Amino acid sequence: MKKLGIFLGYTPRQLVPHEGITRLLGFIVRGAVRAGDISVTIAGPAWLKKDILNLLDDAGVPAGSVDIITTKGEPYLIRLWRVWTRIFQKSKPRKLKRNRLFRYITKGMRIIVDWLSHSSFYVFAFGIILILILTLAFTLPLLILATIGVGIYAARRLSSKFRGSRYYRAKNWVMSRFYYILSTIGPLDTVQSHELNRLVKLLNRRRDIDVWYVPSMFWPEISRLRGKVVMAAPDIVFYEHPAQYVGPAEMRTSERMSKSIAGADQLITYSDHVKTSHIVSRHNVDPRHVTVIRHGFVDMASIERGNGTKQNALDVLHNYLKEKEESFPEYLRGFRFDDVKFLFYSSQIRPHKNIEALIGVFERVLRDHYQPVKLILTGRTASNERVWKLIGERGLQRDVVSLPSVPNYVLAALYRLAVLSVTPTQFEGGFPFTFSEAYSVGTPSIMSRIPVVTEVIQDQALLDLMTFDPMDREEMLQKILWALDNRQALLEAQKPLFETMSSRTWEVVAKEYLDLIVRSATEQKRTRPEAKNRSKVR
């Protein structure tokens, strides 16, 4: 039996459920398990144990069919970080807390009304006695809370008067320097490195894993693993957009990536562009040690809940919004999407994803061309200051809707309900998942004309029809307007592309990965240079 190890070194919160690399890993593991003759081991730091189990559950892989190895215990810095995030980074906005208080008050009023509706003297008398007891019990705590509340309110009003003062500017200066120092030191990187070294020592005690698959280029510790290392090299995005990644954290990441590339025996990219421009040219890697394995077909119809109709998708979405109502803005509470048209972009919020340009173009679609549509994003807009500010300045808070980290079945419902999928990204390492995700549930797509797209779409007429220059907002606007008016024609034009892509299942992709891994196990091991001699990214 072939024995495959998967090495995961992500820091807490990096292995996000239902997104990007997590879903890709799920497809690969599921394909390997279904093959029947492959034993799979997944290894990672202790803090990833829950994330690994979630990954398997989301992929439909029984946890017992995979061997999971993690380190024991979490470093104290990680524990302190978890406490910090629980105390200071609560995501629920203030309005939601107020609304919860109002709901409690409403429930209390209903109880009182119900009590006063009884005609029994004994029920009424018991209620009076209970109210007196509760009043006496809560008077002192309420007075204390009221005093604290008044004090906090007064302190906030007082502090607001100092916002333009030297004190306030000095405080901002100190905090900005503090965060810069943290970014320069990279405490999380240090903890990660120590923990991965522990993990490597633990794994090297086993001799039953011949080949390790490593899905990221950020962990140079893999060079010390026994057996071959086949590493995914999705892309090095700051080669394409260097001005957007210039901080000390990015420089540190660059060095780790360079060392990781040098420490792998085989590399996998998702496109010829990344292989040639990022790996071979920039790192002088022998092209024979780099294999292009393109993404597989993502069939959202297979993971939909129900019968695959629009009404069923609406039920799924409405139930999800109801279930998670405290996590969303108040106006979404009870909001119905039955007759709402919306553009949809499934992506995280990152500089090269071109979210700001999409929002700007969407505003013109809505207000200059009077198209009654909304824009739904799966990125967390509130966590990005530039995007959040843009939405607020343009008055688009109710038109640009953020539904982050939705489960796959809800993502399928959103794709089915969308009038159009729009992918404005300036760069991707492989052909965007968004096309097959959308088309598999009957939604057409338009997307950026970037190298990984032109590699796959060879039909020039189709390329002209469904793609746009991501730097040209006017072309993006015109393609969106045309697609809204010619939705069915676009679907028909994209059918041959979809049929070609749909033959590339994730079982096929997994087999290509596994074939490469098996071949790598029999080939001569690359000479791995010592860390101190490894070249840095140029």
Side-chain angles (χ1 to χ4, degrees), residues 111-129:
I111 293 172
I112 292 173
V113 169
D114 183 65
W115 162 58
L116 292 175
S117 299
H118 288 278
S119 59
S120 171
F121 171 77
Y122 297 106
V123 173
F124 180 77
F126 177 75
I128 291 291
I129 294 170

PDB file of all heavy atoms in Angstrom, residues 111-129:
ATOM      1  N   ILE A 111     -43.851  37.837  29.483  1.00  0.00           N
ATOM      2  CA  ILE A 111     -44.132  37.073  30.707  1.00  0.00           C
ATOM      3  C   ILE A 111     -45.068  37.858  31.625  1.00  0.00           C
ATOM      4  O   ILE A 111     -46.011  37.314  32.210  1.00  0.00           O
ATOM      5  CB  ILE A 111     -42.814  36.723  31.434  1.00  0.00           C
ATOM      6  CG1 ILE A 111     -41.998  35.726  30.591  1.00  0.00           C
ATOM      7  CG2 ILE A 111     -43.089  36.148  32.811  1.00  0.00           C
ATOM      8  CD1 ILE A 111     -40.605  35.468  31.122  1.00  0.00           C
ATOM      9  N   ILE A 112     -44.793  39.180  31.736  1.00  0.00           N
ATOM     10  CA  ILE A 112     -45.629  40.022  32.590  1.00  0.00           C
ATOM     11  C   ILE A 112     -47.064  40.089  32.060  1.00  0.00           C
ATOM     12  O   ILE A 112     -48.037  39.987  32.816  1.00  0.00           O
ATOM     13  CB  ILE A 112     -45.025  41.441  32.697  1.00  0.00           C
ATOM     14  CG1 ILE A 112     -43.709  41.386  33.484  1.00  0.00           C
ATOM     15  CG2 ILE A 112     -46.005  42.414  33.362  1.00  0.00           C
ATOM     16  CD1 ILE A 112     -42.952  42.694  33.496  1.00  0.00           C
ATOM     17  N   VAL A 113     -47.193  40.264  30.731  1.00  0.00           N
ATOM     18  CA  VAL A 113     -48.519  40.317  30.119  1.00  0.00           C
ATOM     19  C   VAL A 113     -49.253  39.000  30.344  1.00  0.00           C
ATOM     20  O   VAL A 113     -50.461  38.975  30.665  1.00  0.00           O
ATOM     21  CB  VAL A 113     -48.408  40.634  28.609  1.00  0.00           C
ATOM     22  CG1 VAL A 113     -49.755  40.434  27.922  1.00  0.00           C
ATOM     23  CG2 VAL A 113     -47.923  42.063  28.405  1.00  0.00           C
ATOM     24  N   ASP A 114     -48.524  37.894  30.190  1.00  0.00           N
ATOM     25  CA  ASP A 114     -49.140  36.585  30.405  1.00  0.00           C
ATOM     26  C   ASP A 114     -49.596  36.427  31.849  1.00  0.00           C
ATOM     27  O   ASP A 114     -50.681  35.896  32.131  1.00  0.00           O
ATOM     28  CB  ASP A 114     -48.133  35.493  30.033  1.00  0.00           C
ATOM     29  CG  ASP A 114     -48.733  34.100  30.170  1.00  0.00           C
ATOM     30  OD1 ASP A 114     -49.670  33.794  29.415  1.00  0.00           O
ATOM     31  OD2 ASP A 114     -48.269  33.335  31.038  1.00  0.00           O
ATOM     32  N   TRP A 115     -48.769  36.933  32.773  1.00  0.00           N
ATOM     33  CA  TRP A 115     -49.100  36.862  34.202  1.00  0.00           C
ATOM     34  C   TRP A 115     -50.353  37.680  34.511  1.00  0.00           C
ATOM     35  O   TRP A 115     -51.262  37.243  35.219  1.00  0.00           O
ATOM     36  CB  TRP A 115     -47.891  37.355  35.005  1.00  0.00           C
ATOM     37  CG  TRP A 115     -48.195  37.735  36.427  1.00  0.00           C
ATOM     38  CD1 TRP A 115     -48.745  36.952  37.399  1.00  0.00           C
ATOM     39  CD2 TRP A 115     -47.963  39.011  37.021  1.00  0.00           C
ATOM     40  NE1 TRP A 115     -48.866  37.646  38.564  1.00  0.00           N
ATOM     41  CE2 TRP A 115     -48.385  38.917  38.372  1.00  0.00           C
ATOM     42  CE3 TRP A 115     -47.414  40.198  36.558  1.00  0.00           C
ATOM     43  CZ2 TRP A 115     -48.293  39.989  39.252  1.00  0.00           C
ATOM     44  CZ3 TRP A 115     -47.316  41.267  37.438  1.00  0.00           C
ATOM     45  CH2 TRP A 115     -47.748  41.173  38.761  1.00  0.00           C
ATOM     46  N   LEU A 116     -50.437  38.896  33.974  1.00  0.00           N
ATOM     47  CA  LEU A 116     -51.580  39.764  34.226  1.00  0.00           C
ATOM     48  C   LEU A 116     -52.848  39.290  33.525  1.00  0.00           C
ATOM     49  O   LEU A 116     -53.941  39.807  33.796  1.00  0.00           O
ATOM     50  CB  LEU A 116     -51.256  41.201  33.797  1.00  0.00           C
ATOM     51  CG  LEU A 116     -50.191  41.934  34.640  1.00  0.00           C
ATOM     52  CD1 LEU A 116     -49.875  43.293  34.041  1.00  0.00           C
ATOM     53  CD2 LEU A 116     -50.678  42.088  36.086  1.00  0.00           C
ATOM     54  N   SER A 117     -52.697  38.335  32.610  1.00  0.00           N
ATOM     55  CA  SER A 117     -53.863  37.810  31.898  1.00  0.00           C
ATOM     56  C   SER A 117     -54.641  36.797  32.722  1.00  0.00           C
ATOM     57  O   SER A 117     -55.764  36.435  32.381  1.00  0.00           O
ATOM     58  CB  SER A 117     -53.425  37.164  30.570  1.00  0.00           C
ATOM     59  OG  SER A 117     -52.811  38.124  29.726  1.00  0.00           O
ATOM     60  N   HIS A 118     -54.007  36.312  33.806  1.00  0.00           N
ATOM     61  CA  HIS A 118     -54.697  35.339  34.667  1.00  0.00           C
ATOM     62  C   HIS A 118     -55.677  36.047  35.597  1.00  0.00           C
ATOM     63  O   HIS A 118     -55.418  37.172  36.060  1.00  0.00           O
ATOM     64  CB  HIS A 118     -53.677  34.560  35.512  1.00  0.00           C
ATOM     65  CG  HIS A 118     -52.881  33.571  34.717  1.00  0.00           C
ATOM     66  ND1 HIS A 118     -53.338  32.320  34.392  1.00  0.00           N
ATOM     67  CD2 HIS A 118     -51.644  33.656  34.162  1.00  0.00           C
ATOM     68  CE1 HIS A 118     -52.430  31.665  33.687  1.00  0.00           C
ATOM     69  NE2 HIS A 118     -51.385  32.469  33.536  1.00  0.00           N
ATOM     70  N   SER A 119     -56.777  35.383  35.898  1.00  0.00           N
ATOM     71  CA  SER A 119     -57.781  35.953  36.818  1.00  0.00           C
ATOM     72  C   SER A 119     -57.641  35.404  38.238  1.00  0.00           C
ATOM     73  O   SER A 119     -58.306  35.873  39.162  1.00  0.00           O
ATOM     74  CB  SER A 119     -59.196  35.649  36.291  1.00  0.00           C
ATOM     75  OG  SER A 119     -59.387  34.245  36.176  1.00  0.00           O
ATOM     76  N   SER A 120     -56.760  34.426  38.417  1.00  0.00           N
ATOM     77  CA  SER A 120     -56.577  33.810  39.728  1.00  0.00           C
ATOM     78  C   SER A 120     -55.848  34.760  40.675  1.00  0.00           C
ATOM     79  O   SER A 120     -54.787  35.312  40.343  1.00  0.00           O
ATOM     80  CB  SER A 120     -55.791  32.497  39.592  1.00  0.00           C
ATOM     81  OG  SER A 120     -55.429  32.012  40.865  1.00  0.00           O
ATOM     82  N   PHE A 121     -56.427  34.950  41.904  1.00  0.00           N
ATOM     83  CA  PHE A 121     -55.799  35.797  42.917  1.00  0.00           C
ATOM     84  C   PHE A 121     -54.456  35.221  43.346  1.00  0.00           C
ATOM     85  O   PHE A 121     -53.484  35.956  43.571  1.00  0.00           O
ATOM     86  CB  PHE A 121     -56.728  35.929  44.133  1.00  0.00           C
ATOM     87  CG  PHE A 121     -56.061  36.597  45.307  1.00  0.00           C
ATOM     88  CD1 PHE A 121     -55.871  37.977  45.347  1.00  0.00           C
ATOM     89  CD2 PHE A 121     -55.574  35.826  46.370  1.00  0.00           C
ATOM     90  CE1 PHE A 121     -55.233  38.569  46.419  1.00  0.00           C
ATOM     91  CE2 PHE A 121     -54.924  36.427  47.429  1.00  0.00           C
ATOM     92  CZ  PHE A 121     -54.767  37.806  47.459  1.00  0.00           C
ATOM     93  N   TYR A 122     -54.361  33.900  43.436  1.00  0.00           N
ATOM     94  CA  TYR A 122     -53.132  33.262  43.911  1.00  0.00           C
ATOM     95  C   TYR A 122     -51.982  33.452  42.917  1.00  0.00           C
ATOM     96  O   TYR A 122     -50.837  33.690  43.311  1.00  0.00           O
ATOM     97  CB  TYR A 122     -53.387  31.769  44.161  1.00  0.00           C
ATOM     98  CG  TYR A 122     -54.393  31.520  45.241  1.00  0.00           C
ATOM     99  CD1 TYR A 122     -55.681  31.095  44.918  1.00  0.00           C
ATOM    100  CD2 TYR A 122     -54.072  31.727  46.588  1.00  0.00           C
ATOM    101  CE1 TYR A 122     -56.615  30.882  45.914  1.00  0.00           C
ATOM    102  CE2 TYR A 122     -55.009  31.512  47.585  1.00  0.00           C
ATOM    103  CZ  TYR A 122     -56.281  31.088  47.247  1.00  0.00           C
ATOM    104  OH  TYR A 122     -57.207  30.881  48.215  1.00  0.00           O
ATOM    105  N   VAL A 123     -52.279  33.345  41.613  1.00  0.00           N
ATOM    106  CA  VAL A 123     -51.254  33.583  40.587  1.00  0.00           C
ATOM    107  C   VAL A 123     -50.780  35.031  40.650  1.00  0.00           C
ATOM    108  O   VAL A 123     -49.589  35.323  40.588  1.00  0.00           O
ATOM    109  CB  VAL A 123     -51.801  33.256  39.178  1.00  0.00           C
ATOM    110  CG1 VAL A 123     -50.804  33.670  38.095  1.00  0.00           C
ATOM    111  CG2 VAL A 123     -52.117  31.778  39.062  1.00  0.00           C
ATOM    112  N   PHE A 124     -51.743  35.962  40.820  1.00  0.00           N
ATOM    113  CA  PHE A 124     -51.390  37.391  40.889  1.00  0.00           C
ATOM    114  C   PHE A 124     -50.544  37.680  42.130  1.00  0.00           C
ATOM    115  O   PHE A 124     -49.528  38.383  42.065  1.00  0.00           O
ATOM    116  CB  PHE A 124     -52.678  38.222  40.911  1.00  0.00           C
ATOM    117  CG  PHE A 124     -52.430  39.699  40.975  1.00  0.00           C
ATOM    118  CD1 PHE A 124     -52.035  40.417  39.856  1.00  0.00           C
ATOM    119  CD2 PHE A 124     -52.588  40.391  42.177  1.00  0.00           C
ATOM    120  CE1 PHE A 124     -51.801  41.778  39.920  1.00  0.00           C
ATOM    121  CE2 PHE A 124     -52.343  41.757  42.247  1.00  0.00           C
ATOM    122  CZ  PHE A 124     -51.957  42.452  41.114  1.00  0.00           C
ATOM    123  N   ALA A 125     -50.962  37.128  43.273  1.00  0.00           N
ATOM    124  CA  ALA A 125     -50.224  37.365  44.521  1.00  0.00           C
ATOM    125  C   ALA A 125     -48.821  36.774  44.453  1.00  0.00           C
ATOM    126  O   ALA A 125     -47.840  37.404  44.896  1.00  0.00           O
ATOM    127  CB  ALA A 125     -51.012  36.754  45.692  1.00  0.00           C
ATOM    128  N   PHE A 126     -48.719  35.567  43.905  1.00  0.00           N
ATOM    129  CA  PHE A 126     -47.392  34.943  43.762  1.00  0.00           C
ATOM    130  C   PHE A 126     -46.480  35.793  42.872  1.00  0.00           C
ATOM    131  O   PHE A 126     -45.288  35.963  43.141  1.00  0.00           O
ATOM    132  CB  PHE A 126     -47.546  33.544  43.170  1.00  0.00           C
ATOM    133  CG  PHE A 126     -46.236  32.849  42.929  1.00  0.00           C
ATOM    134  CD1 PHE A 126     -45.499  32.318  43.977  1.00  0.00           C
ATOM    135  CD2 PHE A 126     -45.728  32.744  41.628  1.00  0.00           C
ATOM    136  CE1 PHE A 126     -44.287  31.691  43.756  1.00  0.00           C
ATOM    137  CE2 PHE A 126     -44.507  32.129  41.401  1.00  0.00           C
ATOM    138  CZ  PHE A 126     -43.799  31.591  42.468  1.00  0.00           C
ATOM    139  N   GLY A 127     -47.043  36.363  41.799  1.00  0.00           N
ATOM    140  CA  GLY A 127     -46.271  37.222  40.907  1.00  0.00           C
ATOM    141  C   GLY A 127     -45.766  38.465  41.603  1.00  0.00           C
ATOM    142  O   GLY A 127     -44.614  38.888  41.411  1.00  0.00           O
ATOM    143  N   ILE A 128     -46.625  39.084  42.447  1.00  0.00           N
ATOM    144  CA  ILE A 128     -46.217  40.282  43.191  1.00  0.00           C
ATOM    145  C   ILE A 128     -45.052  39.965  44.121  1.00  0.00           C
ATOM    146  O   ILE A 128     -44.060  40.703  44.198  1.00  0.00           O
ATOM    147  CB  ILE A 128     -47.408  40.836  44.007  1.00  0.00           C
ATOM    148  CG1 ILE A 128     -48.471  41.426  43.067  1.00  0.00           C
ATOM    149  CG2 ILE A 128     -46.936  41.913  44.999  1.00  0.00           C
ATOM    150  CD1 ILE A 128     -48.047  42.689  42.363  1.00  0.00           C
ATOM    151  N   ILE A 129     -45.185  38.850  44.866  1.00  0.00           N
ATOM    152  CA  ILE A 129     -44.125  38.447  45.795  1.00  0.00           C
ATOM    153  C   ILE A 129     -42.817  38.186  45.033  1.00  0.00           C
ATOM    154  O   ILE A 129     -41.733  38.605  45.457  1.00  0.00           O
ATOM    155  CB  ILE A 129     -44.555  37.195  46.581  1.00  0.00           C
ATOM    156  CG1 ILE A 129     -45.747  37.530  47.489  1.00  0.00           C
ATOM    157  CG2 ILE A 129     -43.388  36.641  47.400  1.00  0.00           C
ATOM    158  CD1 ILE A 129     -46.391  36.316  48.127  1.00  0.00           C
TER     159      ILE A 129
END
